[in-house]
Amino acid sequence: MKEFGREELVVCDKRSNRIPSLSLVGGEPLGEIANTPDYDRIMGRLSKLGAAFLRLVAIAGPVLFGLLTALYVGRPSPYYLATGITVAVAVVACDGWIIARRHWITGGFALATQIVLLIFVGTYMASPLPAPSPLSDPLPQASPPGGMAIYALPTGVNHRTAAFAYRGGSPWDKRDSVSTAVLVRHPQGDLLIDTGLGRSIAEQMKQFPFLFRLGTELVRFQAAADQLDAAGYDRRRLRYILLTHAHWDHISGVPDFPGIPVLVTAAERGFIEEGGWATAQAKSMNAVFQEYAFDGGPYMGFTQSRDLYGDGSIVIVPAPGHTPGSVVVFVTLSGGARYAFVGDLVWQLEGLLEREERPWFEARTLGEDPVLLRQTLLRMSAIATRYPQITIVPSHDPRGYASIPEWSRSATR
Ligand SMILES: [Zn+2]
Ligand SMILES: [Zn+2]
């Protein structure tokens, strides 16, 4: 025991593991505190808890890392990145502890989850589909009437990454995933291809699963209805809303156009009834759905088609896979410009040009039909190769809209 004036420091007798005495200022002894069996038990429990925590980190850490990866590619937030790096470092440290202590059973489980993680990360790697047989048909005839025009109405954007959109995309390549409605003006009646985000998107978002909201950073612009109203657009000219498919981000603005018929295929109508949270809005919005059939013949490699106004200016073809009743809308203007609105067949152009599917996790979450999607993707890929004069417009890729004038900025509307 070493004394410092009247104070006395505690010095543990290591041999007996006892604390011989303790006194405070004033020198009054508190008595001998023995390192009792209780103390040993507490220390033993703490040690077991610590070991259990390290085991948990080693086994569950890779699962958490996988989840953070999925969140980060959908919403490249620095918080997900920092947490992911911390988890990865912790897992490696725990692996070292397991090896040093030779906890081989725990190590086996940890190895298993880490292998699953590697397989999961591998589903984001490039895996291009084989090139389809080339098309040889000439470009289909069209007789678009004078006075046709097309406008883009951007309604919002999600900040995502290329890795989220297609296999082989980089997680460091940030991409804007836009939500844009397209107005096609036609003498027989204007058409809105999808509606983008509507006036009530904030309320609609509240119904989405928590995990989806965690992985989504949505920035809203003016709704399509407000953009049209602001420019004094005569709504009586709007004949139809034509959906590429019924997912929330395409149908959100439908309630802003009460009474306007919403054109859908029978397959998509069935999907709306059974499609879960992604079509819950479509199901509950009392839209005037109007089904149409593909009564036309083959069109650019597709076996069926629907020529909406009979002049070849707006031709719809079935493109199932992303949803059962997804379609591609081909638009030909009187000036000769041609567009293919492919909806969510791909989220970014690379998906089509490099024949890369959506990553497994994203496709799985959407409940896509991978076989049908692959067929449609290859068919559109062949079209993109054969007819480079057609502008391919994936719904969420801003590059697709580069040649389409924006409604709110156009002086000639
Ligand atoms: Zn979709
Ligand atoms: Zn979409």
Side-chain angles (χ1 to χ4, degrees):
M1 187 65 63
K2 191 174 180 182
E3 293 189 16
F4 289 86
R6 296 178 61 206
E7 291 182 357
E8 192 173 278
L9 288 184
V10 177
V11 177
C12 185
D13 180 345
K14 285 185 179 167
R15 275 172 304 172
S16 64
N17 221 10
R18 287 168 180 272
I19 302 170
S21 68
L22 180 69
S23 68
L24 297 176
V25 175
E28 201 61 34
L30 293 178
E32 191 176 76
I33 297 177
N35 195 1
T36 59
D38 279 351
Y39 175 86
D40 290 342
R41 202 162 51 239
I42 290 167
M43 292 308 288
R45 275 187 191 163
L46 282 177
S47 163
K48 278 183 184 165
L49 270 177
F53 180 72
L54 295 181
R55 285 186 163 98
L56 183 70
V57 171
I59 295 169
V63 178
L64 181 58
F65 185 85
L67 178 65
L68 287 163
T69 302
L71 286 171
Y72 179 81
V73 299
R75 181 180 191 172
S77 152
Y79 298 111
Y80 294 145
L81 186 62
T83 314
I85 291 170
T86 307
V87 170
V89 170
V91 168
V92 170
C94 290
D95 284 352
W97 174 80
I98 285 168
I99 292 165
R101 297 295 178 97
R102 303 185 179 196
H103 294 310
W104 300 128
I105 295 174
T106 306
F109 283 113
L111 184 64
T113 56
Q114 286 171 37
I115 289 171
V116 170
L117 173 67
L118 283 179
I119 293 170
F120 175 70
V121 171
T123 63
Y124 285 93
M125 300 297 153
S127 178
L129 297 171
S133 323
L135 282 175
S136 54
D137 325 17
L139 204 57
Q141 290 294 313
S143 312
M148 273 189 79
I150 194 166
Y151 300 96
L153 295 94
T155 65
V157 62
N158 271 309
H159 295 125
R160 301 202 185 279
T161 66
F164 179 82
Y166 61 94
R167 294 193 62 161
S170 165
W172 317 122
D173 181 359
K174 294 182 183 175
R175 296 287 177 98
D176 281 349
S177 174
V178 297
S179 279
T180 301
V182 172
L183 181 73
V184 181
R185 306 206 77 167
H186 191 287
Q188 291 190 51
D190 294 351
L191 192 72
L192 203 55
I193 301 176
D194 291 339
T195 63
L197 310 178
R199 291 167 175 161
S200 27
I201 184 63
E203 289 76 55
Q204 293 167 357
M205 280 285 283
K206 286 178 190 163
Q207 300 166 26
F208 295 161
F210 177 65
L211 210 56
F212 175 80
R213 281 182 282 149
L214 269 186
T216 300
E217 186 192 11
L218 188 63
V219 179
R220 295 172 58 193
F221 307 151
Q222 202 176 24
D226 292 328
Q227 293 184 45
L228 292 172
D229 290 349
Y233 176 76
D234 181 0
R235 285 188 178 218
R236 287 172 300 182
R237 295 192 59 171
L238 185 61
R239 185 165 174 187
Y240 298 119
I241 291 170
L242 172 60
L243 297 177
T244 59
H245 64 296
H247 274 157
W248 64 277
D249 48 334
H250 300 256
I251 200 169
S252 165
V254 163
D256 306 338
F257 299 93
I260 302 294
V262 180
L263 298 180
V264 287
T265 61
E268 199 65 357
R269 190 70 205 279
F271 175 63
I272 289 169
E273 295 303 316
E274 299 152 16
W277 68 267
T279 57
Q281 287 76 25
K283 194 175 176 181
S284 64
M285 61 181 45
N286 292 324
V288 186
F289 289 114
Q290 190 170 313
E291 291 181 20
Y292 61 92
F294 296 105
D295 52 5
Y299 189 86
M300 286 201 248
F302 288 92
T303 52
Q304 296 174 295
S305 64
R306 171 66 180 246
D307 186 346
L308 191 63
Y309 289 140
D311 54 17
S313 64
I314 300 167
V315 178
I316 314 162
V317 297
H322 180 61
T323 64
S326 284
V327 297
V328 169
V329 184
F330 291 94
V331 175
T332 306
L333 301 184
S334 31
R338 287 184 181 251
Y339 301 89
F341 295 92
V342 301
D344 284 1
L345 174 62
V346 291
W347 278 333
Q348 295 276 302
L349 275 167
E350 288 88 341
L352 200 62
L353 304 179
E354 298 174 13
R355 300 185 305 280
E356 290 286 3
E357 296 171 280
R358 248 179 288 280
W360 173 83
F361 181 75
E362 282 66 23
R364 182 88 187 159
T365 310
L366 291 165
E368 292 181 333
D369 183 324
V371 176
L372 285 176
L373 185 89
R374 205 164 292 162
Q375 284 173 3
T376 309
L377 197 154
L378 290 178
R379 205 163 272 163
M380 270 315 300
S381 162
I383 290 173
T385 307
R386 173 75 178 90
Y387 312 109
Q389 61 270 58
I390 299 178
T391 301
I392 308 286
V393 190
S395 286
H396 301 303
D397 191 332
R399 293 168 293 179
Y401 300 95
S403 63
I404 302 176
E406 248 181 58
W407 171 260
S408 58
R409 294 182 189 170
S410 178
T412 57
R413 63 194 171 219

